[in-house]
C-alpha cells in the first residue's frame, strides 16, 4: 500500500483531504437563466484547501485526521498525536481567496 509520502513524491496533482460532517446538497433547479447547484460549506472549504495544496503538497483538514481510525492512520503513515496544524491563512501557499473566505481552517501537511 502506498503511503502519503510516496504518493506526494510521485504525484503532480494538488491534493486535499477534508471530512464532511453534513450531507452534501446536490439539488439542481432550473431557473430561467440556467442551472444552479449547491454543495454546501464543506465543498467550498475543500476548494480553498485544494487551491493551497500546490507543487505536490498534500493537505488534510483537522476534522479528517481526528476521524481516522488508528489502524487507518498507521497504514497511511500518519501519527495523529504528533501532527502540527496550521491555519489555512498562515500557509505560504495560501491564496487570497483562502485568506479571505476560510482563514481559520486547520490543516496539516501529510
Amino acid at each position: 500500500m502506498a503511503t502519503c509520502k510516496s504518493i506526494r513524491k510521485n504525484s503532480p496533482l494538488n491534493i486535499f483531504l477534508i471530512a464532511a460532517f453534513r450531507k452534501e446538497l446536490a439539488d439542481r433547479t432550473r431557473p430561467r437563466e440556467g442551472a444552479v447547484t449547491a454543495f454546501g460549506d464543506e465543498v467550498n472549504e475543500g476548494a480553498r484547501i485544494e487551491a493551497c495544496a500546490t507543487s505536490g503538497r498534500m493537505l488534510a483538514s483537522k476534522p479528517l485526521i481526528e476521524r481516522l481510525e488508528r489502524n487507518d492512520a498507521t497504514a497511511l503513515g500518519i501519527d495523529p498525536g504528533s501532527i502540527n496544524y496550521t491555519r489555512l491563512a498562515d500557509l505560504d501557499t495560501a491564496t487570497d481567496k483562502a485568506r479571505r473566505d476560510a482563514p481559520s481552517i486547520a490543516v496539516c501537511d501529510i
Side-chain angles (χ1 to χ4, degrees):
M1 170 181 266
T3 65
C4 291
K5 289 178 183 175
S6 68
I7 292 170
R8 182 177 358 158
K9 283 183 179 180
N10 298 312
S11 177
L13 303 175
N14 295 348
I15 298 173
F16 73 96
L17 303 170
I18 187 168
F21 292 103
R22 289 177 283 193
K23 182 179 177 189
E24 294 173 8
L25 170 66
D27 182 25
R28 293 181 180 219
T29 58
R30 299 247 180 231
R32 283 198 268 211
E33 286 81 37
V36 176
T37 304
F39 291 105
D41 292 340
E42 289 82 7
V43 172
N44 292 327
E45 290 175 0
R48 302 297 81 76
I49 295 169
E50 184 272 336
C52 298
T54 59
S55 301
R57 186 176 210 172
M58 292 178 62
L59 298 172
S61 69
K62 183 177 181 182
L64 174 73
I65 298 298
E66 290 174 342
R67 292 181 69 186
L68 285 175
E69 297 288 336
R70 172 70 53 195
N71 59 335
D72 293 331
T74 300
L76 292 169
I78 298 171
D79 178 6
S82 67
I83 289 186
N84 294 316
Y85 294 97
T86 304
R87 289 176 357 113
L88 201 59
D90 295 336
L91 295 175
D92 57 345
T93 57
T95 64
D96 289 340
K97 194 167 187 177
R99 286 188 174 106
R100 182 190 70 222
D101 297 343
S104 62
I105 295 175
V107 296
C108 64
D109 284 291
I110 56 169

